[in-house]
Amino acid sequence: MKRLLSGIKPTGELTLGNYLGAIKQFVDMQNDYESFIFVANLHAITVYNDKEELKKRTRDLVAIYLASGLDPKKTTIFLQSENNYHNNLGWVLECNSYIGELNRMTQFKDKSKNKSANAITCGLYTYPTLMAADIILYDADVVPVGIDQKQHVELTRNIAERFNNRYGETFKIPEPFIPKTGEKIYDLQNPTKKMSKTEDNPKGCITLLEDPDKAVKKIMGAVTDSDNQIKYDLQNKPGISNLMTIYSALSNKTIAEVETEFKDSNYGTFKKAVAEEVKQFLIDLQSKYQKIIDSNMVDTVLDEGIKKARTIAQAKLNEVYEKVGLSR
Ligand code: AQP
């Protein structure tokens, strides 16, 4: 069975973008892959996080993974910080990567834009090498991510190929898996910008644990155009196309089916349908989340997951240390 690996940072509140771009794929794919899904909390501290909030969001993220349908019997769920082999391999890969390639990472450019050099951590700059370690430590075949992370998976491939060439065949070369619908969910108020959990844009962003009625209001207030035709055209009609993507992904209908369903409707009617779909999704997810967070399931799952993750990672790290000359 091929292996799948991915993770999410427990930074701000998880958004509908994180769900549709990432978590939904993890759930859909877990039957066909041996899956490893982790909480990327080491990546979270590339920017400052309040200690208690970080801990709470870590638990929430695991509960959301489970509430979304990740099954611990099929998917190994673990906490990155509990597996030191990620750091160990991260350092080796950092020493086999170049400033030139990290300078080309668009996420770093976006996140450091308009900030002074004294406000950007070294971790934010080098985190793609740790991400490469996260992936190749497990010989992952596929990495389901939203389109914004594709460049990092491509960097991972380059680093792994370089290592294999230098030290001998060691790592599998992973493939990014980008969803057909939901690869990028846009901000509801600025539909040319990614919906993001750490952006200060409450009206543009739907978070997974927010009041479903507030989410309805946000959908109804989403920015669209004045053409009043339900037609997918990301270039010229980004707002309505974004809502179509959300509706299509949540209802498991194709964009063509959505166009046909709403060909005689106006924007108001369509927005109501999207809002209803989002509301039902949130109500369902949140009721499952609540039961999980009130139980001891998060700890049980993480305790079990880390054992399997460590065993695999340790074997790979030993092989790497041997090849690099870091063993006795
Ligand atoms: N708007 C989005 N549409 C589709 N996919 C998305 N992802 C994030 N936003 C969207 C995918 O979710 C996963 C989460 O990745 P992450 O937490 O490691 O970081 P990120 O990509 O930087 O996500 P955010 O929400 O923008 O977080 P912050 O604000 O903390 O940087 C990834 O697979 C990502 O592609």
Side-chain angles (χ1 to χ4, degrees), residues 8-9 11 17-18 21-22 107 111 145-146 148-149 182-185 194-198:
I8 295 185
K9 298 190 296 251
T11 36
N18 296 129
Q107 278 245 347
K111 290 189 177 201
V145 282
D148 60 312
Q149 288 290 342
E183 62 170 26
K184 189 167 183 178
I185 301 298
K194 180 180 100 155
M195 185 183 281
S196 190
K197 57 179 136 64
T198 54

Side-chain angles (χ1 to χ4, degrees), residues 6-23 26 40 43 47 61 107 111 127 131 144-150 179 182-187 193-199:
S6 197
I8 295 185
K9 298 190 296 251
T11 36
E13 305 284 333
L14 283 201
T15 71
L16 196 56
N18 296 129
Y19 176 77
L20 294 177
I23 300 174
F26 308 163
H43 291 286
V47 293
L61 178 49
Q107 278 245 347
K111 290 189 177 201
Y127 99 78
M131 178 168 161
V145 282
I147 194 94
D148 60 312
Q149 288 290 342
K150 188 169 176 235
E183 62 170 26
K184 189 167 183 178
I185 301 298
Y186 294 87
D187 187 286
K193 213 176 101 221
K194 180 180 100 155
M195 185 183 281
S196 190
K197 57 179 136 64
T198 54
E199 292 288 328

